[in-house]
Amino acid sequence: LDVFKVETVGDCYVAVCGLPEKRDDHALVMARFATACLSSFNMTVKELDMQLGPGTADLRLRSGLHSGPVTAGGLRGER
């Protein structure tokens, strides 16, 4: 999907699309990435619930999207 992981902050996975080369469909690509992450997470939780028992399915995934100008130089360590 051409999504680049910038960093992990606590329990947050920070990723970008459209950098360093601009993409007009960056929001669509990130929405697809978020949907794929949610689908993979849900499958993993179901497998864990079967292996570890009740209560495991209480795990949740939260995602959010931001679209706007980049204000930091965190890409590949370049500042």
Side-chain angles (χ1 to χ4, degrees):
L1 288 174
D2 201 23
V3 174
F4 176 75
K5 177 188 172 199
V6 177
E7 63 183 323
T8 304
V9 179
D11 63 350
C12 294
Y13 183 90
V14 181
V16 297
C17 179
L19 292 175
E21 303 299 322
K22 182 180 176 183
R23 286 184 67 137
D24 292 334
D25 65 343
H26 64 276
L28 179 60
V29 171
M30 287 306 294
R32 287 181 178 156
F33 175 73
T35 302
C37 287
L38 183 58
S39 177
S40 179
F41 175 81
N42 287 334
M43 288 189 306
T44 301
V45 168
K46 285 180 185 178
E47 291 173 13
L48 287 173
D49 193 48
M50 289 189 300
Q51 293 174 9
L52 302 176
T56 308
D58 292 339
L59 295 171
R60 300 284 184 252
L61 177 77
R62 174 181 55 95
S63 63
L65 299 175
H66 171 74
S67 181
V70 175
T71 58
L75 191 60
R76 295 185 184 95
E78 298 170 13
R79 304 224 181 248

